[in-house]
Amino acid sequence: MEEPIRIALVDDHRLFRSGIASLLDNFDNYTIIFEAGDGEEMIRKINPKLKPDIILLDINMPKMNGITTARWLRDNHPDINVIVLSMFEDAEKVLTMVRMGVKGYLLKDAEPYEFQDALHKVSLNEVYYPEFVTRHLVGSINTDFNLAKLNSREIEFLKLAASELTYKEIAAHMCISSRTVDGYRDQLFEKLQIKSRIGLVLYAIKHKLIDL
């Protein structure tokens, strides 16, 4: 008989864990080997004899949250597959978890068949990313592509444009003429599809080119 796939639930809401456990009882070939309320408790419970194949991981938890937990798993147990079960679908959190190597991402209000499909694919070492995750990934690729189109001087100008310096002061700082500053500004407007200096500032903040 095939060995069941070992599951660990890491979520600080006991009622939610109970609901997931009940749902798993309806699926074939899965067994829960332990539950934990946060990453610290999970670390205490994982050992060579009690090691899950898949961890179902929440993001917003006390003590040690899902992002820190996913990073620890990536560094210490890269063979354990992680599926995120979260209420968050914003790009920053989704992309952070994907970069941590999670194999699946589901919202907590997903349909049971989606959850079963995610478990099945991840158990086969495939990935399960719903449409909103794919959309964020495509957006991230486009952003990286836009940055890749900029040369070092344009990036320098972008950082200075996001400061309190006037365009005249930027010209002096970069040892260029005011006309060249205008040229850099117009090039960035075109390349980044931005129409104002405020847009340049927001772009620089969003992509962490400046420290606030």
Side-chain angles (χ1 to χ4, degrees):
M1 184 176 177
E2 187 179 358
E3 286 288 325
I5 294 165
R6 295 163 296 179
I7 304 289
L9 305 179
V10 184
D11 190 295
D12 60 321
H13 293 98
R14 293 184 180 181
L15 193 59
F16 179 77
R17 296 202 310 260
S18 177
I20 291 295
S22 297
L23 189 57
L24 283 169
D25 283 340
N26 297 317
F27 301 159
D28 293 332
N29 204 39
Y30 298 100
T31 183
I32 296 175
I33 61 171
F34 70 78
E35 298 181 18
D38 59 59
E40 289 184 3
E41 186 179 357
M42 179 205 73
I43 290 173
R44 291 196 299 269
K45 290 187 174 182
I46 287 182
N47 62 65
K49 293 183 179 180
L50 197 67
K51 186 176 178 181
D53 301 304
I54 296 174
I55 288 178
L56 303 178
L57 181 65
D58 189 18
I59 292 179
N60 191 21
M61 298 182 295
K63 295 183 181 178
M64 186 172 178
N65 65 28
I67 293 173
T68 306
T69 302
R71 183 182 295 112
W72 184 89
L73 287 167
R74 181 195 63 186
D75 294 341
N76 294 275
H77 295 284
D79 54 324
I80 297 178
N81 292 326
V82 177
I83 297 176
V84 173
L85 296 178
S86 176
M87 295 300 297
F88 298 112
E89 59 177 307
D90 59 284
E92 183 179 357
K93 287 186 174 62
V94 169
L95 293 173
T96 296
M97 295 305 281
V98 170
R99 292 185 185 111
M100 292 300 158
V102 304
K103 292 293 185 69
Y105 198 112
L106 277 175
L107 295 179
K108 287 186 173 181
D109 60 357
E111 296 291 339
Y113 74 85
E114 295 177 279
F115 179 48
Q116 187 173 21
D117 192 22
L119 281 170
H120 176 68
K121 287 187 176 180
V122 171
S123 69
L124 297 175
N125 285 319
E126 299 177 13
V127 297
Y128 183 91
Y129 296 147
E131 189 273 336
F132 73 89
V133 174
T134 304
R135 186 172 66 249
H136 291 327
L137 288 170
V138 171
S140 175
I141 291 170
N142 289 338
T143 294
D144 292 342
F145 178 70
N146 282 338
L147 278 175
K149 291 191 296 184
L150 305 185
N151 61 44
S152 60
R153 290 289 274 176
E154 287 171 333
I155 292 175
E156 181 185 1
F157 172 78
L158 177 57
K159 291 178 179 178
L160 292 171
S163 71
E164 296 181 352
L165 297 177
T166 65
Y167 282 135
K168 185 176 181 180
E169 289 169 334
I170 291 174
H173 184 91
M174 296 181 68
C175 300
I176 56 178
S177 68
S178 295
R179 179 174 295 181
T180 303
V181 163
D182 291 341
Y184 279 136
R185 180 197 60 208
D186 293 343
Q187 288 170 27
L188 289 179
F189 284 172
E190 182 178 351
K191 287 185 178 182
L192 303 178
Q193 296 298 295
I194 290 172
K195 297 181 180 180
S196 68
R197 183 169 183 177
I198 292 175
L200 293 177
V201 173
L202 293 175
Y203 187 93
I205 292 172
K206 180 178 180 182
H207 303 296
K208 297 180 173 59
L209 295 176
I210 59 172
D211 295 324
L212 295 178

